[in-house]
Amino acid sequence: MTTTEAPPRAARQRRTARNAQTNDYFDLVERANAAGLMGRRVGWYVGRTTLVAAALALAFTLLLTLGHTWWQLAVAALFGIVFTQGAFLAHDGGHMQIFASGRRNEWFSRIVGNLVVGLSIGWWNRKHNRHHGHPNVIGKDGDIATGALVFVPGQEQGRTGILGWVTRRQGWLFFPMLTLFGPVLHANSVQTLATVPGIKHRGAEAVLLGIRLIGFPALVLLTLGPALGTAFLAVQLAVFGTYMGATFAPNHKGMPLLPKDLKIDFLRRQVLTSRNIRGGRFVEWAMGGLNYQVEHHVFPRMPSVNLRHARPIVQDFCAEHDIHYTETGLLESYGIIVDYLNRVGLGHADPMDCPIVAQYR
């Protein structure tokens, strides 16, 4: 006859803590369900999609009828804004927020993302899903991977020449560099479709993306001529890139970075690395509901229009469980980002100094 030894006390304590943290999250989910916030809001999305379609139709009408005038640059800016609003819709579809059917969500995102915005939804979903699973986790979240900018302290070392000069001033250069973000997003989409295996409906994406990335510039150049047409496309891309970057950057940049081996539960990982942006309905519209980033990360499938109602529920829950909840104004968040990037670029910031991270090590 054999007996099974009881697990060591420390192991039992860790298991009990994990179970308690899991129960915490399910308790929060139950509160959101009880408030009716997890249900679909198809009618609201129909209205939102109709407004974006109407704005896109207006932009095309102005492009084709306004004539050869430098006022067309204002139309270019309008296109940049509308494309970004379209990206917010594709994002929500990618999170299965719009329809109960996963297939309908996928095709909605595929059509809007590729044909309207010019972004491969196959590329976006792969990148964005990794981010949601491991927000601000060093080595796992591609959104903080080193590229033109350095987000992780220590990775600025060894950058010399022009790249080193940029890195040491990257906070101040952040917003000017966002004007180049649009072409980078388009290029990443094309590269993914061309080289990454396993993309669903690759052919459909390629056709839709080709119409957008070839057909739209061709229409602009044929309508406005080479000089004004080139200026038009430059403004449209600059507005699109700046708007996209200025919307997504405040959500996590300058928030705690988590080591890859840090043991932390899902709820706290999402809340501690996310930042909400105050500002009322205008900021909510301008950021596509992503100003409620904490709630979005806790409930990624919740319709974005419901996130404002989830906010007090999550705030109260975090207060009850002593979980740090971050919320700032938009301009304040930009100041935090610029300061953080400058500190990283100069080698002054260390994510391991963060007291929030330290308590979980």
Side-chain angles (χ1 to χ4, degrees):
M1 178 176 177
T2 61
T3 59
T4 302
E5 294 184 3
R9 181 178 179 182
R12 293 199 304 271
Q13 289 176 335
R14 286 195 297 270
R15 188 180 304 160
T16 300
R18 285 197 298 269
N19 290 339
Q21 291 168 344
T22 300
N23 290 337
D24 284 348
Y25 178 65
F26 285 122
D27 181 19
L28 181 55
V29 171
E30 283 301 313
R31 297 188 192 188
N33 276 322
L37 299 178
M38 299 302 296
R40 302 303 92 192
R41 296 289 300 273
V42 177
W44 183 82
Y45 275 109
V46 168
R48 183 175 167 188
T49 303
T50 300
L51 288 176
V52 171
L56 187 61
L58 173 63
F60 272 110
T61 300
L62 292 172
L63 168 64
L64 297 173
T65 62
L66 200 56
H68 196 279
T69 169
W70 289 102
W71 283 107
Q72 288 280 13
L73 298 186
V75 180
L78 175 60
F79 270 108
I81 293 170
V82 174
F83 290 154
T84 306
Q85 286 289 324
F88 297 153
L89 283 171
H91 166 271
D92 288 6
H95 277 287
M96 308 297 165
Q97 295 177 11
I98 302 175
F99 305 104
S101 164
R103 185 173 181 274
R104 290 181 179 179
N105 278 300
E106 288 179 1
W107 275 105
F108 178 88
S109 295
R110 190 169 291 119
I111 293 170
V112 174
N114 287 274
L115 184 60
V116 176
V117 188
L119 298 183
S120 162
I121 204 64
W123 162 74
W124 175 260
N125 282 345
R126 283 169 174 253
K127 171 182 179 294
H128 200 58
N129 289 343
R130 286 196 297 268
H131 161 71
H132 268 266
H134 307 281
N136 274 20
V137 176
I138 299 171
K140 291 186 176 181
D141 184 359
D143 286 1
I144 57 172
T146 297
L149 299 172
V150 180
F151 297 104
V152 179
Q155 296 184 2
E156 79 287 349
Q157 298 176 10
R159 291 164 74 99
T160 59
I162 295 177
L163 195 58
W165 184 90
V166 170
T167 299
R168 291 188 295 273
R169 298 161 179 82
Q170 63 179 4
W172 303 121
L173 295 174
F174 176 65
F175 283 101
M177 290 174 71
L178 286 184
T179 60
L180 305 175
F181 191 41
V184 171
L185 293 176
H186 295 317
N188 286 339
S189 295
V190 173
Q191 181 182 28
T192 296
L193 283 183
T195 63
V196 175
I199 300 293
K200 293 176 63 176
H201 300 286
R202 184 192 306 272
E205 284 212 30
V207 170
L208 294 171
L209 194 64
I211 292 172
R212 167 64 178 83
L213 296 184
I214 298 174
F216 177 69
L219 175 64
V220 170
L221 292 171
L222 289 173
T223 302
L224 302 180
L228 182 55
T230 300
F232 182 104
L233 293 172
V235 170
Q236 179 266 304
L237 286 167
V239 171
F240 172 66
T242 302
Y243 190 2
M244 287 282 286
T247 297
F248 284 92
N251 301 332
H252 301 280
K253 301 300 181 282
M255 293 298 290
L257 300 181
L258 307 181
K260 185 185 297 187
D261 60 349
L262 186 68
K263 303 301 181 184
I264 184 172
D265 66 288
F266 172 82
L267 175 62
R268 286 160 180 82
R269 182 168 65 248
Q270 303 300 328
V271 174
L272 297 177
T273 59
S274 302
R275 178 194 294 117
N276 274 17
I277 304 299
R278 294 187 295 267
R281 293 298 179 88
F282 175 76
V283 168
E284 181 179 344
W285 168 83
M287 297 185 71
L290 296 177
N291 56 309
Y292 301 110
Q293 189 68 192
V294 174
E295 290 71 30
H296 173 55
H297 266 256
V298 172
F299 307 115
R301 292 197 174 195
M302 179 182 288
S304 58
V305 67
N306 288 348
L307 295 175
R308 77 170 83 103
H309 304 296
R311 174 175 168 269
I313 295 175
V314 176
Q315 283 182 316
D316 291 345
F317 188 90
C318 287
E320 292 170 14
H321 293 79
D322 195 27
I323 302 173
H324 187 74
Y325 182 103
T326 301
E327 187 173 82
T328 69
L330 183 61
L331 295 181
E332 182 183 357
S333 73
Y334 291 152
I336 292 170
I337 293 167
V338 169
D339 179 65
Y340 175 77
L341 287 174
N342 279 333
R343 287 174 58 82
V344 172
L346 293 171
H348 291 165
D350 186 347
M352 308 314 167
D353 291 338
C354 175
I356 294 174
V357 173
Q359 68 180 319
Y360 291 97
R361 291 190 67 83

